[in-house]
Amino acid sequence: MQETDTGTPRSGGSRAAVAAFVAVVVLGGLVAFAATSAAAPGSPQQTTTTTTTDTTTTGTTTTGTTTTGTTTTGTTTTGTTTTGTTTTGTTTTTPTTTTTTTPSGPAGQIRLSDGSISIPVTSVTPPDRLVIDRVSFSPNPLRSRRSVLTGRFRVSNQANGYRVRDALVYGIALPYGQFRPAAEVTTGTDGYASIRFIPTANLHTGRNSTIQFFLRARKPGDPLLSGVSIRRLVQATVLVH
């Protein structure tokens, strides 16, 4: 009797099919794993820091700008930090010069309110001399023996015409005996000296008469007849009968 094929698959062909299916599944898994690995976060990116060197100019100091990188997961954001600029001012000092001017001429000069100059008698030395350059009497004329005749005399130096202070001035009427003797007086800062002449009973004059007065100005300590001293004759009007 002839055998009939029952339709049962052969075992060799089934194994080959299964092996092919497994290979496809494994390959697909490897591809999927590779894709997943590629999509996974990578290593953190390297942070870059850039520093600009400070620049210094004369009188001004400028601080450079520093940029610092900031890292996040999968993304790099660059932040900027700027330091303010400080400007230092420049100070210039100008020296001040004070000039002191010493007046020329005799030492010890003082400027008076009327603009004239006064010097001490000690500043008057030869060949310079004293000068009695202004004379006045009061009252003028003198009309009574009971009145006091006041003479006012100004002393200057011959070289400059400056008023001389601390000089000694002496005066006496001529002829002697008509006025009481008067002591020497010292000139003031303005160069003036005042002498009071008191009449005596011997004073007799005619109408429109004048009396002579001998005047002397000198430096204290100098000899009476030398040094810088000066002598002068002046007159006053006296109307006493």
Side-chain angles (χ1 to χ4, degrees):
M1 186 168 86
Q2 185 179 359
E3 290 183 356
T4 304
D5 186 5
T6 61
T8 302
R10 296 178 180 178
S11 61
S14 297
R15 291 192 187 96
V18 171
F21 176 78
V22 171
V24 170
V25 171
V26 171
L27 180 61
L30 291 176
V31 171
F33 179 79
T36 303
S37 299
S43 301
Q45 296 182 4
Q46 184 176 358
T47 299
T48 303
T49 301
T50 303
T51 302
T52 303
T53 305
D54 295 349
T55 302
T56 302
T57 58
T58 303
T60 304
T61 301
T62 304
T63 303
T65 302
T66 302
T67 303
T68 304
T70 303
T71 303
T72 58
T73 303
T75 303
T76 300
T77 302
T78 302
T80 302
T81 301
T82 304
T83 303
T85 301
T86 301
T87 302
T88 304
T90 302
T91 302
T92 303
T93 303
T94 303
T96 301
T97 303
T98 301
T99 303
T100 302
T101 303
T102 302
S104 59
Q109 297 181 26
I110 298 175
R111 185 169 294 278
L112 305 180
S113 59
D114 61 357
S116 58
I117 296 176
S118 170
I119 60 173
V121 69
T122 53
S123 295
V124 182
T125 57
D128 195 5
R129 297 179 66 86
L130 299 176
V131 177
I132 301 174
D133 60 357
R134 187 162 296 183
V135 176
S136 64
F137 290 95
S138 179
N140 188 22
L142 179 66
R143 298 181 181 274
S144 172
R145 294 186 183 91
R146 292 186 295 271
S147 299
V148 175
L149 182 65
T150 300
R152 194 162 184 261
F153 315 111
R154 190 178 76 179
V155 179
S156 302
N157 75 319
Q158 188 177 55
N160 309 98
Y162 295 160
R163 312 274 184 92
V164 177
R165 59 185 181 271
D166 303 326
L168 295 176
V169 179
Y170 173 76
I172 189 171
L174 301 174
Y176 300 117
Q178 299 183 82
F179 290 87
R180 295 179 184 176
E184 281 184 311
V185 296
T186 303
T187 56
T189 303
D190 59 358
Y192 278 94
S194 295
I195 300 177
R196 299 173 76 248
F197 299 102
I198 301 174
T200 67
N202 296 328
L203 179 59
H204 294 283
T205 64
R207 187 172 181 175
N208 296 328
S209 295
T210 59
I211 293 183
Q212 300 294 318
F213 285 86
F214 168 81
L215 302 177
R216 181 187 67 214
R218 67 183 183 91
K219 180 196 295 187
D222 274 5
L224 295 179
L225 300 177
S226 61
V228 297
S229 64
I230 188 66
R231 294 153 189 81
R232 180 179 176 182
L233 286 175
V234 298
Q235 63 184 19
T237 302
V238 178
L239 302 178
V240 178
H241 300 285

